[in-house]
Amino acid sequence: MKVLVIGGGAREHALCRSLSLDPEVTALHCAPGNAGIAEVAELHPVDALDGAAVARLATELEAGLVVVGPEAPLVAGVADAVRDAGIPCFGPSREAAELEGSKAFAKDVMAAANVPTARSYVCTTAEQIEDALDAFGTPYVVKDDGLAAGKGVVVTADLAQAREHALACERVVIEEFLDGPEVSLFAITDGETVLPLQPAQDFKRALDHDKGPNTGGMGAYSPLPWAEPKLVDEVLETVLQPTVDELRRRGTPFSGLLYAGLAITGRGVRVIEFNARFGDPETQVVLARLKTPLAGVLLAAAEGTLADLPPLAWRDDAAVTVVVASHNYPDTPRTGDPIGGLDAIAAQDAPHAYVLHAGTRRSDDGTVVSAGGRVLSVTATGKDLTQARERAYTAVDRITLPGSQHRTDIAREAAKA
């Protein structure tokens, strides 16, 4: 099978790494990719938001499967264009991807499917915003209705900050605060059958102890030793399957990766948000633990044959990923800084620890340099979270990137569980 992956972040590097290890994959391509992905896949320049261009590239490559990584191309209808060209595509249609593209749409779907979530108001005027903020009180949870690259949510006790963020959004969802630990649970679906993966937890705040601004994610781990053993089955029954069934009922079946961001509250599981693609950085740890070859599972979802697959197989190992970010992230990051230590990690820490590239490129002289806010995801496995953490941070310490930052507490508390 020839596979084309669309995107250029650490999530796509994780996908490409897993696909490159799959004996069924005879050729692996990525567009546009990054400096790390280039080591496992052939790169191609493409505008990832241009469905026609992506479909042309897939046709030229004679791809047997296209995997669309990021949310923006999905919301732009890239998966539709690929399928219209007669090529199997892993990723929801433009209409189904509105589950992530519009939080108001997601709330409507959840209400119809009786999926437990936070009470909320959709606001378009200053008066509605004031009424909603007053109704829920502190801490305020304010969400841009549209895509915001992981930075559209503000959770704050500061009324002025909440109001400022809300007024800056064309349409905003204001909702009650959900207390309790958060869990990310991915599910692969063909629109009918829903195949949940192993849960993970990510760390959204920029600084240790969950301080600082929200980011796209500063690290993640799996498994969750503190979670109830029945959690996955419960979420499948109360959240994932009802959502997929409701979208199919509406005539917009969801095929691809359904990501449920969950809060484990005192009143039970509640959905914080849905995403329409693999999450970053959770993908890095979930795929590190998946034993079943990936390509066949993604193809089965694209072709509507998930029900025919045997159960997924998982490694017993734990996995931890630590994000190394640029100077000044999540504000405007500094780019172009040289990255060192990558060869040392490959020589001394592999195969238990490895680096997945996010915002990187190769300069004219061959040096790998930073090219975004989140630059690297340093991922490690171990017999438990303690060993996986030690291996991940040992590898992180080998990296040199001027002005870089990372959290030092990824999975620390979970490792004590």
Side-chain angles (χ1 to χ4, degrees):
M1 188 195 315
K2 297 179 181 179
V3 182
L4 170 62
V5 176
I6 302 301
R11 163 187 48 227
E12 287 75 37
H13 194 176
L15 287 164
C16 285
R17 180 182 182 273
S18 291
L19 290 165
S20 73
L21 298 173
D22 188 332
E24 294 297 315
V25 176
T26 54
L28 182 59
H29 302 269
C30 186
N34 61 40
I37 294 174
E39 297 176 7
V40 295
E42 182 179 346
L43 302 190
H44 304 268
V46 77
D47 179 354
L49 298 177
D50 186 339
V54 171
R56 276 196 306 273
L57 176 61
T59 301
E60 290 167 7
L61 296 174
E62 298 180 334
L65 173 67
V66 174
V67 179
V68 182
E71 59 273 25
L74 293 167
V75 172
V78 168
D80 303 88
V82 172
R83 279 191 281 267
D84 287 345
I87 299 169
C89 185
F90 182 82
S93 66
R94 180 190 61 77
E95 288 184 312
E98 279 297 289
L99 201 63
E100 177 169 5
S102 168
K103 293 175 179 61
F105 175 75
K107 288 289 188 182
D108 184 66
V109 170
M110 283 187 272
N114 200 29
V115 169
T117 187
R119 294 180 297 119
S120 64
Y121 293 105
V122 179
C123 307
T124 55
T125 69
E127 183 180 7
Q128 290 173 341
I129 288 169
E130 289 301 325
D131 288 345
L133 292 172
D134 184 60
F136 289 127
T138 184
Y140 304 102
V141 181
V142 184
K143 299 180 175 183
D144 190 333
D145 180 56
L147 295 180
K151 301 173 192 173
V153 179
V154 166
V155 181
T156 180
D158 185 334
L159 177 59
Q161 183 186 9
R163 183 185 293 119
E164 180 184 15
H165 182 66
L167 290 171
C169 302
E170 186 173 331
R171 186 160 74 155
V172 65
V173 175
I174 297 174
E175 63 184 38
E176 66 175 327
F177 176 74
L178 295 175
D179 199 8
E182 295 185 12
V183 174
S184 299
L185 185 60
F186 302 162
I188 293 171
T189 178
D190 57 11
E192 292 192 27
T193 300
V194 181
L195 199 61
L197 305 185
Q198 289 292 304
Q201 186 175 59
D202 78 331
F203 294 74
K204 289 294 187 190
R205 298 286 186 171
L207 306 176
D208 284 6
H209 311 297
D210 290 327
K211 305 294 185 183
N214 261 349
T215 72
M218 295 299 291
Y221 69 92
S222 180
L224 312 182
W226 49 267
E228 291 283 344
K230 65 180 182 181
L231 175 65
V232 172
D233 290 340
E234 178 186 344
V235 174
L236 174 62
E237 181 181 344
T238 63
V239 174
L240 299 170
Q241 192 70 57
T243 301
V244 169
D245 291 345
E246 171 62 19
L247 285 166
R248 187 175 69 253
R249 187 191 67 77
R250 292 178 178 218
T252 56
F254 188 105
S255 170
L257 195 290
L258 178 58
Y259 166 148
L262 309 164
I264 313 302
T265 76
R267 295 175 292 151
V269 174
R270 296 289 184 272
V271 175
I272 301 170
E273 64 176 356
F274 282 127
N275 291 330
R277 38 73 196 181
F278 280 101
D280 185 343
E282 300 98 319
T283 300
Q284 289 85 300
V285 293
V286 172
L287 292 186
R289 300 186 57 223
L290 180 63
K291 186 184 293 186
T292 300
L294 183 62
V297 181
L298 302 187
L299 182 63
E303 295 186 331
T305 59
L306 269 184
D308 299 334
L309 292 186
L312 296 177
W314 296 91
R315 297 183 177 90
D316 293 332
D317 287 356
V320 171
T321 194
V322 179
V323 170
V324 177
S326 292
H327 175 72
N328 205 40
Y329 178 77
D331 293 325
T332 305
R334 191 174 76 202
T335 60
D337 289 315
I339 302 168
L342 300 176
D343 291 341
I345 293 172
Q348 300 179 54
D349 301 308
H352 301 298
Y354 49 89
V355 178
L356 298 167
H357 292 230
T360 69
R361 63 177 177 85
R362 199 170 286 278
S363 63
D364 292 340
D365 65 1
T367 304
V368 177
V369 300
S370 60
R374 292 186 296 173
V375 181
L376 305 169
S377 284
V378 181
T379 305
T381 57
K383 68 178 186 296
D384 53 28
L385 287 174
T386 298
Q387 186 178 55
R389 284 191 83 246
E390 290 171 352
R391 287 171 169 173
Y393 279 108
T394 295
V396 167
D397 288 343
R398 301 192 200 280
I399 291 170
T400 59
L401 174 61
S404 66
Q405 55 179 311
H406 66 271
R407 284 185 58 160
T408 66
D409 62 347
I410 304 300
R412 184 168 60 199
E413 293 305 312
K416 299 175 184 176

